[in-house]
């Protein structure tokens, strides 16, 4: 996955972030929803992956 583009997530990325977490996580948190991710984006000092869930292949 050397072609991974790392950048700060935006509000437009929320659906992809939630889909990725749904596919990749073993469990979810009560804050794993649109508003919870929006709060995380607003306060997160680090970049998040911009790759959408549809671009992530299992075992990659």
């Amino acid at each position: 996955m050397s072609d991974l583009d790392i950048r700060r997530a935006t509000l437009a990325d929320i659906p992809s972030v939630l889909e990725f977490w749904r596919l990749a996580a073993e469990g979810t948190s009560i804050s794993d929803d649109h508003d919870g991710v929006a709060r995380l984006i607003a306060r997160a000092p680090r970049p998040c992956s911009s790759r959408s869930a549809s671009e992530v292949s299992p075992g990659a």
Side-chain angles (χ1 to χ4, degrees):
M1 288 188 20
S2 62
D3 62 341
L4 185 62
D5 178 27
I6 304 295
R7 63 170 173 77
R8 187 170 174 93
T10 67
L11 296 178
D13 296 316
I14 291 175
S16 294
V17 169
L18 289 170
E19 179 66 6
F20 174 76
W21 286 354
R22 186 186 68 78
L23 294 172
E26 292 185 14
T28 58
S29 167
I30 61 169
S31 62
D32 289 347
D33 60 17
H34 186 278
D35 292 340
V37 176
R39 285 190 301 274
L40 176 63
I41 289 171
R43 72 178 186 338
R46 298 179 293 199
C48 296
S49 171
S50 65
R51 182 167 284 218
S52 72
S54 63
E55 297 174 298
V56 177
S57 60

